[in-house]
Amino acid sequence: MGLRERLTQVTQFFQKARTKGRKLMEEDERRASSAGEQVSQREDRRRSGMTAEDREWEQSSQQRDRERQARSGEPTIAAEEPKISRDA
């Protein structure tokens, strides 16, 4: 086998590997998105089953946790909290 043929084989190998890597990354992104949606749906169902008193207690508890973390200098987790309707 000549050098040119070997170079062609190696080039094709890396092209296939790159294509497969892209497919795997896309699959991972789809799985992560799907898992995130499932968590969000579970959280929505959990919150919809709460009474107004439960929601108020949870919000105040989260606020106390944030204040405690701020006082202790712990890093805070930047999670977006959904706005809770008081109509429920």
Side-chain angles (χ1 to χ4, degrees):
M1 172 184 316
L3 185 58
R4 187 170 301 239
E5 291 86 10
R6 184 67 181 144
L7 179 60
T8 300
Q9 285 181 339
V10 170
T11 302
Q12 289 173 351
F13 172 82
F14 282 108
Q15 288 173 340
K16 288 178 186 177
R18 183 178 59 203
T19 300
K20 183 166 181 149
R22 284 183 184 153
K23 287 180 182 178
L24 290 172
M25 285 177 23
E26 289 170 0
E27 286 177 18
D28 286 348
E29 288 172 2
R30 280 193 298 272
R31 283 190 199 121
S33 174
S34 175
E37 290 171 8
Q38 289 174 358
V39 168
S40 178
Q41 290 171 356
R42 280 195 306 268
E43 184 66 11
D44 289 344
R45 285 193 303 270
R46 183 184 73 82
R47 288 184 185 269
S48 69
M50 292 178 149
T51 64
E53 183 180 73
D54 291 339
R55 285 190 295 271
E56 287 178 23
W57 182 89
E58 184 169 6
Q59 283 183 326
S60 64
S61 174
Q62 290 171 346
Q63 181 62 36
R64 286 190 305 270
D65 286 344
R66 284 191 293 271
E67 290 168 356
R68 180 187 51 79
Q69 287 175 346
R71 283 192 308 269
S72 68
E74 292 178 31
T76 57
I77 299 172
E80 188 174 312
E81 292 183 21
K83 296 191 180 194
I84 299 173
S85 170
R86 300 224 183 249
D87 299 335

